[in-house]
Amino acid sequence: MRVRRLTGAGTAAALVLVLGAVLVTERSEDDGGRAGCPPRTVVSWAPDPGLTSAFARYGDDGARTDDWTGGDGTHPVRLPDGRLLWLFSDTFPGRVHRPPNPVGEAYAWRDGGAPLVRNSAVVLRGGRPEAALPAPLFPDPAPGSRRRPVAARAEPRSPRAAEHVLRVLLWVRRHGAPAWIYGEPLATEVATLSLPALRLESVTTVLDQRQRGDFSRRVLFGTTLVAEDGWTYVYGGDDGRPASRPASHASVARVPEGGLGDPAAWEYWDGSGRRSRARPAPVPGDGRRTGVGSAFTVTRDDRTYVLFTMAEGPATVTAYWACCPAGPWHGPAGAFTPALPAPGTAAHDPQAHPGLSRDGRLVLSHDVNWLETSTATVMLSRNVSLYRPPFVTVRLGPPQWPPGRGPWSGAWR
């Protein structure tokens, strides 16, 4: 879930996420034959200073006068030639100056008048940031509206085609009333970029939500995706009403490989099965929790799906597990709290990066923002390190079940 933008930034209440699809004993249609998957939890975690420092060095490079210096909404995608493309939402370009900053603090800083662009992309080669693409990569669709890139995948241009393209999920939002701190949700789009040039070819709307009157029930897809057996499973959620329902419901769709850009190829879980052009329904829950919102990520550990989200506090990452993409989800199954870089900051939007994982450890990142809206731009420019994603590695393993409880009991917490 995005924190409230200060530039925008967020409130602590908007960071509290809980999973709606947990502690469930019924099974979805995809669960058959997979119930033997091993339960998973976070058994250990540690900061990953290598990746964190790589982005710091790139952003602090004073030779770059109109480039990436910090951003949020972090989503990487592996390209067929081995490069790694990092997609960001709100981004500060400009020049970074060496410390001390104008008030004498020992922080690298940027000019307070540096612009904020709506999305950007940085190419990594060999584990090091190499160059940023011209920003914004995805122009605003209309005055007052914006596109936010989320999950992406390189796939065949069409099913079974030899040529590959990059498909990027986009969230379209419109500046709205104060209650809609992330912007009113409008639609999910898919952008097609050529490979290897990364030239934007087209943008297609795959799920238009403009006709759905209740903004709190409009679903945007693409917070995370998982590929398996010729399908791409795409996750999303609604926003809820920030004042009364800060968390949201999670939904899942699937698309055959090569079909992300084809609206007719999408199949949505509607509560009893997968249907084309169906109204997305929440992934089954236990009826006591409201959901995860958009700030969650799903990855696979062998046969088990593992979901990470922020819960129980603004900086705690909590894990859940399931045997199939639609659940049922079980947990919470382990949590950890990465350190915040400074007082007044908050963590949000955890993302798993299996393409960077190694030695049995999974790499995750999260975004950082300044909580106080009135001073956000000043503080994020006074210390540029505050608006960059820190990285951690986690090791997954079997949970330590409480005595007499088991993975399918649906009773343990």
Side-chain angles (χ1 to χ4, degrees):
M1 178 180 290
R2 297 286 307 280
V3 295
R4 181 174 181 173
R5 292 300 308 144
L6 311 163
T7 49
T11 63
L15 295 169
V16 181
L17 308 180
V18 286
L19 183 67
V22 299
L23 307 177
V24 186
T25 54
E26 72 267 24
R27 295 181 179 176
S28 72
E29 70 170 12
D30 286 340
D31 198 86
R34 301 193 195 180
C37 77
R40 282 292 179 263
T41 189
V42 175
V43 296
S44 65
W45 73 277
D48 188 327
L51 280 168
T52 304
S53 298
F55 275 99
R57 288 191 299 269
Y58 180 82
D60 290 347
D61 187 346
R64 304 176 186 275
T65 59
D66 188 18
D67 206 341
W68 186 94
T69 68
D72 68 358
T74 309
H75 286 83
V77 56
R78 180 72 66 180
L79 303 180
D81 60 9
R83 292 177 298 167
L84 198 63
L85 182 70
W86 289 82
L87 297 161
F88 293 92
S89 186
D90 290 341
T91 302
F92 282 109
R95 180 187 291 273
V96 170
H97 306 282
R98 298 179 63 182
N101 65 17
V103 295
E105 297 169 325
Y107 302 134
W109 57 285
R110 74 173 69 85
D111 295 326
L116 182 75
V117 297
R118 291 307 186 187
N119 56 74
S120 69
V122 177
V123 178
L124 272 72
R125 190 188 299 270
R128 296 183 176 182
E130 179 182 71
L133 301 182
L137 182 59
F138 307 103
D140 293 344
S145 299
R146 57 168 296 188
R147 289 181 168 118
R148 178 191 178 187
V150 279
R153 185 188 180 193
E155 67 168 10
R157 182 176 289 277
S158 59
R160 295 177 295 280
E163 180 190 9
H164 278 62
V165 293
L166 179 64
R167 297 267 162 70
V168 180
L169 278 294
L170 303 173
W171 289 349
V172 182
R173 294 183 182 272
R174 177 175 55 213
H175 303 311
W180 299 98
I181 58 179
Y182 321 117
E184 297 171 1
L186 299 181
T188 302
E189 297 178 334
V190 173
T192 298
L193 284 74
S194 65
L195 290 173
L198 295 173
R199 179 178 60 84
L200 179 60
E201 295 184 351
S202 64
V203 177
T204 302
T205 299
V206 295
L207 184 65
D208 192 332
Q209 298 281 271
R210 292 173 177 86
Q211 301 305 313
R212 194 165 193 176
D214 184 352
F215 290 167
S216 70
R217 297 301 183 185
R218 292 182 177 183
V219 179
L220 299 181
F221 281 89
T223 181
T224 186
L225 59 79
V226 178
E228 179 187 6
D229 296 336
W231 294 92
T232 302
Y233 292 88
V234 188
Y235 294 83
D238 56 41
D239 281 344
R241 296 188 184 277
S244 61
R245 193 163 58 87
S248 312
H249 294 88
S251 298
V252 62
R254 71 176 184 180
V255 190
E257 185 178 40
L260 278 173
D262 178 7
W266 284 60
E267 299 178 357
Y268 302 95
W269 176 262
D270 68 357
S272 60
R274 301 192 183 277
R275 308 284 186 269
S276 298
R277 303 187 182 278
R279 173 173 292 184
V283 174
D286 65 358
R288 296 191 298 272
R289 300 173 185 259
T290 54
V292 294
S294 59
F296 67 95
T297 184
V298 178
T299 188
R300 286 185 64 198
D301 184 70
D302 193 14
R303 293 174 293 152
T304 306
Y305 292 83
V306 183
L307 183 152
F308 298 92
T309 188
M310 295 285 185
E312 308 301 331
T316 299
V317 180
T318 305
Y320 301 83
W321 63 275
C323 291
C324 72
W329 294 93
H330 305 271
F336 64 96
T337 304
L340 292 172
T345 59
H348 61 107
D349 284 18
Q351 285 294 322
H353 310 308
L356 296 175
S357 302
R358 57 196 180 278
D359 301 328
R361 290 186 175 271
L362 175 67
V363 176
L364 287 93
S365 68
H366 62 83
D367 295 326
V368 176
N369 214 322
W370 193 260
L371 283 172
E372 177 53 53
T373 59
S374 62
T375 58
T377 300
V378 172
M379 299 305 294
L380 296 178
S381 295
R382 219 164 83 175
N383 180 357
V384 296
S385 69
L386 299 182
Y387 204 51
R388 294 169 180 168
F391 293 83
V392 301
T393 58
V394 301
R395 188 177 295 279
L396 300 174
Q400 299 298 311
W401 303 107
R405 306 276 178 92
W408 295 98
S409 69
W412 72 285
R413 293 180 184 272

